[in-house]
Amino acid sequence: MTGTWLIRGARPLGGEPTSIVVRDGLIDRIGAATKPAGAQVIGADGLIALPGLVDLHTHLREPGREDAETVETGTQAAALGGFTAVHAMANTDPVADTAGVVEQIWRLGRQAGHCDVHPVGAVTVGLGGTRLAELGAMADSAARVRVFSDDGRCVSDAVLMRRALEYVKAFGGVIAQHAQEPRLTDGAQLNEGEMSARLGLTGWPAVAEEAIIARDCLLAAHVGSALHVCHVSTAGSVEIIRWAKGKGWRVTAEVTPHHLLLTDSLAASYDPVYKVNPPLRTAADVAALREGLADGTIDCVATDHAPHPVEDKETEWDTAAFGMTGLETALRVVQEAMVDTGLLDWAGVADRMSRRPAVIGRLPGAGGELAAGQPASLTLYDPTARDTVNPATHASRSRNSPFTGMDLPGRVVATFLRGTPTVLDGKIA
Ligand SMILES: [Zn+2]
């Protein structure tokens, strides 16, 4: 299926239209080209060509919650969103805390073949927060795990966090922290502020996130290791990360599409589709997150795609599960929040959604340039398309998109993974 392809009229990183020849899994040539013998032609007039997107933060739910998502459906959703690699979070059942489980997920990803699946290893056994998991064995496994996270839970014990940061230095790993001080968020439901007070929902203060980020930046600096901050959601967090980066410390950070576009005012509907961890914040936080992503303080966009079946989501607010789907809308939301507002150009989008997440995830061969000789993992995107988000049309097994009914720009037309189309004409190839 790799074969030879001539992509005509595409605009690499939003630049001038040109031709891209794909052959034997590689970008063979960019520039004026006659049709190579036997090539299949894709008319791509007006489409933006981007390097295949890389997600540092996806919940594929398999093993254990195949009613919410499977590796097959989740990676289809990823490909349809323009992604060629995803990191699968460890909070599965069983938890991905051993070489055996991470290898199982890695193999399921290879079998599905829609995009690369890189399992994230748990930091602590069973996400229990008391004992370090077998980080070295997961790193040495066939899955070659480099990113470790208890995501869904915070590694709140400072001693354990320190030891984890020290441990991963041996193999160049990174600890991705879900920053949530548990005592400050006991029973918390919504950003602590005017909205939570008005709606009578238990508040989730910004300081619960910021205190952990500040502590972990200091710990990472103290032991000389690499910290990645998951789903930054407050203006204060951006300031702390800017300060830590200014010191030259090895701190990176991600923001989700939903935190770039949505605010806690949506909770006025009491619709739990807007319930997420960390919670939606205020318009001032959204502005600071956009600015932080634009100036590079926040390195990348990560989806935190968190599928849930209807019965876990369509209940009272207090009992509903936290989380939103996001793979199939991520690039469209980034266009709406960052490109159409003039904050990022398409080269910037490629940097924040492909190059930098690949560097943070330690993925050689992903996030490369669109250049001859590079692996042909790329996405063709129509920025002029517009339509209303309808999760019934999505490949994800779950329907909990907070963008449902919103009119958003853009459409992923095609995705190539090392020269093989995974999506053509907006459908799974
Ligand atoms: Zn999380």
Side-chain angles (χ1 to χ4, degrees):
M1 189 66 179
T2 53
T4 306
W5 297 81
L6 171 62
I7 301 167
R8 252 191 201 134
R11 301 165 52 207
L13 310 187
E16 290 304 307
T18 186
S19 290
I20 303 172
V21 177
V22 170
R23 195 200 304 263
D24 298 331
L26 299 178
I27 296 174
D28 188 67
R29 178 184 169 83
I30 296 186
T34 50
K35 183 178 164 228
Q40 293 174 269
V41 179
I42 297 183
D45 284 341
L47 304 187
I48 311 277
L50 296 170
L53 307 182
V54 176
D55 192 10
L56 275 173
H57 194 144
T58 304
H59 297 275
L60 292 177
R61 302 296 190 218
E62 189 177 359
R65 283 312 298 267
E66 290 83 355
D67 58 328
E69 198 76 284
T70 62
V71 171
E72 172 70 24
T73 59
T75 55
Q76 282 191 13
L80 289 164
F83 291 89
T84 51
V86 298
H87 287 77
M89 277 299 173
N91 62 339
T92 48
D93 182 13
V95 170
D97 59 1
T98 64
V101 178
V102 295
E103 284 185 348
Q104 179 195 353
I105 295 160
W106 177 74
R107 282 209 186 86
L108 287 168
R110 303 237 312 183
Q111 281 162 19
H114 303 294
C115 71
D116 292 338
V117 173
H118 301 284
V120 172
V123 176
T124 67
V125 174
L127 309 178
T130 54
R131 228 160 18 101
L132 275 193
E134 301 165 9
L135 310 186
M138 289 188 272
D140 290 341
S141 74
R144 295 187 50 76
V145 176
R146 290 294 179 272
V147 182
F148 295 87
S149 182
D150 273 3
D151 183 63
R153 297 194 193 163
C154 181
V155 181
S156 60
D157 182 317
V159 175
L160 261 185
M161 187 62 184
R162 174 190 175 151
R163 283 185 22 223
L165 285 163
E166 283 174 332
Y167 199 100
V168 297
K169 284 169 69 179
F171 45 83
V174 59
I175 303 294
Q177 174 72 292
H178 169 115
Q180 178 190 353
E181 209 296 316
R183 296 274 294 139
L184 286 170
T185 51
D186 193 21
Q189 296 289 329
L190 183 66
N191 178 49
E192 181 177 298
E194 205 181 300
M195 216 53 213
S196 63
R198 177 138 74 83
L199 302 178
L201 294 171
T202 307
W204 187 309
V207 65
E209 174 173 312
E210 294 157 2
I212 293 289
I213 295 175
R215 180 202 76 177
D216 288 352
C217 288
L218 293 163
L219 281 174
H222 184 61
V223 304
S225 188
L227 169 73
H228 177 72
V229 184
C230 295
H231 42 51
V232 171
S233 74
T234 78
S237 297
V238 178
E239 270 188 65
I240 293 162
I241 292 159
R242 193 175 281 127
W243 165 77
K245 286 191 164 190
K247 295 275 194 185
W249 298 343
R250 294 170 62 201
V251 175
T252 56
E254 71 190 32
V255 61
T256 70
H258 47 269
H259 287 110
L260 288 171
L261 195 64
L262 309 178
T263 67
D264 60 352
S265 63
L266 289 162
S269 64
Y270 286 102
D271 185 340
V273 78
Y274 303 115
K275 180 173 174 178
V276 66
N277 177 350
L280 299 177
R281 305 285 188 180
T282 67
D285 293 303
V286 169
L289 293 168
R290 290 181 180 189
E291 190 191 323
L293 183 64
D295 72 17
T297 301
I298 298 175
D299 298 82
C300 61
V301 175
T303 67
D304 195 7
H305 176 79
H308 290 290
V310 168
E311 60 272 24
D312 291 354
K313 207 57 189 167
E314 291 181 9
T315 73
E316 296 295 303
W317 182 286
D318 279 0
T319 54
F322 290 97
M324 303 170 162
T325 59
L327 284 167
E328 287 164 88
T329 46
L331 187 50
R332 302 177 63 192
V333 173
V334 169
Q335 183 186 347
E336 174 87 358
M338 301 299 296
V339 180
D340 291 355
T341 51
L343 291 166
L344 272 188
D345 59 14
W346 291 107
V349 172
D351 184 69
R352 307 300 197 276
M353 295 186 78
S354 179
R355 189 187 74 83
R356 288 212 215 186
V359 170
I360 294 165
R362 286 36 172 181
L363 304 182
E369 285 176 67
L370 290 180
Q374 290 285 324
S377 294
L378 54 91
T379 296
L380 300 175
Y381 180 74
D382 181 358
T384 66
R386 269 202 99 83
D387 81 353
T388 302
V389 176
N390 175 9
T393 65
H394 288 175
S396 171
R397 188 163 278 186
S398 291
R399 297 283 172 263
N400 53 306
S401 168
F403 308 108
T404 301
M406 279 182 71
D407 184 56
L408 285 179
R411 175 174 181 259
V412 172
V413 176
T415 307
F416 280 77
L417 175 63
R418 287 182 292 275
T420 300
T422 54
V423 171
L424 284 175
D425 197 21
K427 300 180 190 70
I428 291 294

Coordinates of all heavy atoms in Angstrom, one line a residue, residues 57 59 151-153 178 230-231 277-278 304, ligand 1:
H57 N -0.9 12.9 24.7 CA -1.8 12.6 25.8 C -3.2 12.1 25.3 O -4.1 12.9 25.0 CB -2.0 13.9 26.6 CG -2.7 13.8 27.9 ND1 -2.3 14.5 29.0 CD2 -3.7 13.0 28.4 CE1 -3.1 14.2 30.1 NE2 -3.9 13.2 29.7
H59 N -6.2 9.0 25.9 CA -6.7 7.8 26.6 C -7.4 6.9 25.6 O -8.5 7.2 25.1 CB -7.7 8.3 27.7 CG -7.1 9.1 28.7 ND1 -6.4 8.6 29.8 CD2 -7.0 10.5 28.8 CE1 -5.9 9.6 30.6 NE2 -6.2 10.8 30.0
D151 N -1.3 9.9 35.1 CA -2.3 10.8 34.7 C -3.7 10.3 35.0 O -4.0 9.1 34.9 CB -2.3 11.1 33.2 CG -3.4 12.1 32.8 OD1 -3.3 13.2 33.3 OD2 -4.3 11.8 32.1
G152 N -4.5 11.3 35.4 CA -5.8 11.0 36.1 C -5.7 11.2 37.6 O -6.6 11.6 38.2
R153 N -4.4 10.9 38.0 CA -4.1 11.2 39.4 C -2.7 11.9 39.4 O -1.9 11.8 38.5 CB -3.9 9.9 40.2 CG -5.2 9.1 40.3 CD -5.1 8.1 41.3 NE -6.2 7.1 41.2 CZ -6.2 5.9 41.8 NH1 -5.1 5.5 42.5 NH2 -7.2 5.1 41.6
H178 N 0.3 15.1 36.2 CA -1.1 15.6 36.3 C -1.1 16.4 37.6 O -1.2 15.9 38.6 CB -2.1 14.4 36.3 CG -3.5 14.8 36.6 ND1 -4.5 14.7 35.7 CD2 -4.0 15.3 37.7 CE1 -5.6 15.0 36.3 NE2 -5.4 15.4 37.5
C230 N 1.3 18.2 32.3 CA 0.1 17.9 31.5 C -0.9 19.0 31.6 O -0.9 19.8 32.5 CB -0.5 16.6 32.0 SG 0.4 15.1 31.9
H231 N -1.7 19.1 30.5 CA -2.9 20.0 30.5 C -2.9 21.2 31.4 O -3.7 21.3 32.4 CB -4.2 19.2 30.7 CG -4.1 18.1 31.8 ND1 -3.7 18.4 33.1 CD2 -4.5 16.8 31.7 CE1 -3.8 17.3 33.8 NE2 -4.3 16.3 33.0
N277 N -11.2 17.4 33.8 CA -10.1 17.5 34.8 C -8.8 17.8 34.1 O -8.4 16.9 33.3 CB -10.0 16.2 35.6 CG -8.9 16.2 36.6 OD1 -8.0 17.1 36.6 ND2 -8.8 15.2 37.4
P278 N -8.2 18.9 34.3 CA -8.6 20.0 35.1 C -9.8 20.7 34.5 O -10.1 20.6 33.3 CB -7.4 21.0 35.1 CG -6.6 20.6 33.9 CD -6.9 19.2 33.7
D304 N -5.6 15.2 25.4 CA -6.3 14.6 26.6 C -7.7 14.0 26.2 O -8.7 14.1 26.9 CB -6.5 15.6 27.8 CG -6.8 14.9 29.1 OD1 -6.8 13.7 29.2 OD2 -7.1 15.7 30.1
Ligands
ZN1 ZN -4.8 14.4 33.5

